[in-house]
Amino acid sequence: QARLVESGGGSVQSGGSLRLSCKNSGVPYKGHQEYCLAWFRQAPGQERDSVPVAVIDQRDTSTYAGSVKGRFIISQDRAADSFILEMSDLKPEDTARYYCAASFGYPESTVPRGCSTRISRWYDYWGLGTQVTVSS
């Protein structure tokens, strides 16, 4: 069964760092001309955000939400068939369950071409999430 699996979550003090990984097992985005690989988060008691925290496309162009820009870095590890979210200078407001997701295979006329404006409705494959807790 095709799936994405997150790992690397945990508890850290404010100012600390974590590295999240999203391992692909059979999700076929690599065969498509364009794709978006993203991290979304869901804060305690809240709905999952519709806008990704970070997203990277097939050309390794990345985009970040303003709240994490300069602190988080998204990247692909193509050899390992995974993508990574490196988080630094973590803040209590970063506490959330983090989900990785992939979007690909939509006709050009039905989906935004760039990943910077592609929201959660366009992501078809999701992991189950990994918890990140940042204490003050």
Side-chain angles (χ1 to χ4, degrees):
Q1 298 291 323
R3 62 189 180 123
L4 301 175
V5 181
E6 303 94 340
S7 63
S11 298
V12 297
Q13 297 284 338
S14 182
S17 300
L18 284 173
R19 180 183 184 272
L20 307 184
S21 296
C22 182
K23 173 64 178 176
N24 178 30
S25 295
V27 180
Y29 58 82
K30 288 182 177 179
H32 292 264
Q33 191 170 4
E34 67 86 31
Y35 59 80
C36 303
L37 307 175
W39 290 91
F40 293 81
R41 65 187 183 185
Q42 182 175 13
Q46 303 295 318
E47 298 295 317
R48 185 165 59 201
D49 289 347
S50 60
V51 177
V53 168
V55 59
I56 191 166
D57 71 9
Q58 74 284 347
R59 297 184 298 275
D60 285 329
T61 299
S62 58
T63 308
Y64 302 90
S67 59
V68 307
K69 192 172 184 178
R71 300 189 296 120
F72 291 12
I73 299 173
I74 188 170
S75 61
Q76 290 190 78
D77 185 340
R78 297 176 187 270
D81 198 10
S82 64
F83 60 103
I84 308 299
L85 186 67
E86 295 175 278
M87 305 184 294
S88 299
D89 192 24
L90 284 161
K91 305 176 183 298
E93 52 263 43
D94 295 318
T95 294
R97 191 166 184 86
Y98 284 71
Y99 298 85
C100 63
S103 175
F104 59 94
Y106 286 98
E108 184 175 351
S109 62
T110 64
V111 67
R113 292 296 87 196
C115 296
S116 63
T117 58
R118 193 173 299 188
I119 58 175
S120 60
R121 61 177 290 191
W122 299 110
Y123 287 79
D124 303 299
Y125 290 85
W126 295 79
L128 296 178
T130 186
Q131 181 67 37
V132 171
T133 301
V134 185
S135 58
S136 60

